[in-house]
Amino acid sequence: MARKSSLSPSKITTYLACPVRYRWTYVDGRGRWYLRAKSYYSFGTTLHKVLERFHDSGETGVTTTEEVLATYEESWIDAGFASAEEMAEAYGEGKEILERHVARTLERPKEAKTLFLEKTFRLDLGRFELIGRMDRVDVYPDGRLEIVDYKSGREGVRPEEVEHDLAMGCYQLLLARHFPDREVSATLVALRSGEEATASMAPAELDRFEEDLKQLGNMILDEEFFELEPKVKPLCHACDFVPLCKRHEEYAERAEAAGL
């Protein structure tokens, strides 16, 4: 029996941004030879690994600034940086971010307990499974659940940004369906400033969002990716797959005109 297709917030976001990029990333195996390491991925992944250890109350958890920084040094990923100088600057920024995060966390009264860290949830939506990996899920004394998502590159965040964030909507849907008797909210944390914003979806909103996801997922599954003609977009300037798209004559002409 064939395994059911799966879609994640990353996959859906990629498709909405550019179906051709989706093809090269998830459908056509040739795309993997063009992918380059990204410094911001390395930086973000490193911070997420350290924060997972810091918020872990188990045996592998760390509790002090000194332990956090030691874990940071052990976890550092150096892929994708253009130079040693660029990496050293990023390393210093990451150290400052972690020191501030630890200080803010230790200063706050601890109202909630961490329930899950880097936890993957799945939800059957008919033709496909929705999959989402959450940075952290906290539970409060009254039983409500809070999804906490870290953003390593952001200086600030507003509640309306959480409301309109596709991934945060997916995470709320996943958690609400797994814990139907609990109130669920989602919080984005801009790690550089420590600024946070929270939003939540009412049951009726979650139902509508689920139906929208089903329609969008079906559209992705029905897409004829190998028949798509690439189009020049602003995101092309930072895309690894431009050499592949340039094999299409019309795209190549427009890309040259756009300075790609």
Side-chain angles (χ1 to χ4, degrees):
M1 184 177 176
R3 186 172 181 178
K4 183 173 289 192
S5 298
S6 64
L7 292 174
S8 65
S10 294
K11 283 187 174 183
I12 297 170
T13 301
T14 299
Y15 178 82
L16 292 173
C18 179
V20 175
R21 178 184 279 190
Y22 185 99
R23 168 192 171 176
W24 296 122
T25 306
Y26 301 111
V27 180
D28 194 326
R30 290 175 294 174
R32 70 179 182 273
W33 302 109
Y34 291 81
L35 285 170
R36 299 189 301 268
K38 306 292 192 303
S39 59
Y40 51 87
Y41 284 150
S42 298
F43 184 72
T45 300
T46 298
L47 293 184
H48 277 70
K49 286 183 178 180
V50 178
L51 292 174
E52 180 183 3
R53 292 280 303 280
F54 175 61
H55 289 283
D56 185 356
S57 59
E59 294 181 0
T60 60
V62 294
T63 58
T64 67
T65 301
E66 291 72 21
E67 290 174 331
V68 165
L69 295 181
T71 302
Y72 178 54
E73 184 176 356
E74 296 168 3
S75 305
W76 179 254
I77 301 171
D78 60 7
F81 292 94
S83 65
E85 291 76 14
E86 181 186 70
M87 184 174 70
E89 183 178 353
Y91 187 89
E93 289 177 354
K95 182 178 178 181
E96 292 175 1
I97 287 171
L98 290 170
E99 288 175 334
R100 291 194 296 266
H101 181 83
V102 170
R104 285 192 300 267
T105 302
L106 296 180
E107 287 171 1
R108 291 178 182 173
K110 194 168 183 180
E111 187 180 356
K113 292 184 179 179
T114 297
L115 188 62
F116 300 116
L117 289 164
E118 299 297 335
K119 175 74 172 177
T120 298
F121 288 88
R122 297 173 179 267
L123 178 64
D124 191 323
L125 291 181
R127 292 178 62 194
F128 65 94
E129 272 191 323
L130 177 65
I131 298 178
R133 185 179 178 88
M134 303 178 199
D135 294 343
R136 196 174 102 216
V137 177
D138 288 350
V139 58
Y140 285 81
D142 61 4
R144 59 194 168 95
L145 301 174
E146 180 184 29
I147 301 155
V148 181
D149 194 70
Y150 310 119
K151 297 299 180 185
S152 58
R154 298 183 66 155
E155 293 286 353
V157 61
R158 302 187 305 275
E160 54 267 30
E161 293 178 290
V162 184
E163 292 174 7
H164 300 135
D165 188 280
L166 177 69
M168 300 305 277
C170 289
Y171 297 156
Q172 290 180 76
L173 177 65
L174 286 163
L175 203 60
R177 295 300 186 251
H178 279 78
F179 298 93
D181 59 333
R182 304 288 187 97
E183 180 183 335
V184 174
S185 64
T187 296
L188 280 176
V189 180
L191 288 174
R192 291 180 181 272
S193 64
E195 190 173 315
E196 300 180 3
T198 302
S200 61
M201 300 171 74
E205 291 177 300
L206 284 171
D207 291 341
R208 287 195 298 272
F209 183 70
E210 181 175 344
E211 289 305 312
D212 290 343
L213 279 180
K214 288 179 181 179
Q215 292 184 31
L216 182 54
N218 290 336
M219 184 188 305
I220 295 172
L221 296 179
D222 291 335
E223 184 69 81
E224 298 291 344
F225 287 101
F226 290 90
E227 297 180 9
L228 290 173
E229 290 289 332
K231 298 178 181 179
V232 175
K233 300 180 177 183
L235 57 81
C236 291
H237 288 274
C239 184
D240 294 339
F241 305 124
V242 168
L244 288 167
C245 291
K246 280 186 175 181
R247 295 178 182 181
H248 294 258
E249 184 176 347
E250 184 177 342
Y251 177 90
E253 292 175 357
R254 294 181 178 178
E256 184 177 355
L260 296 173

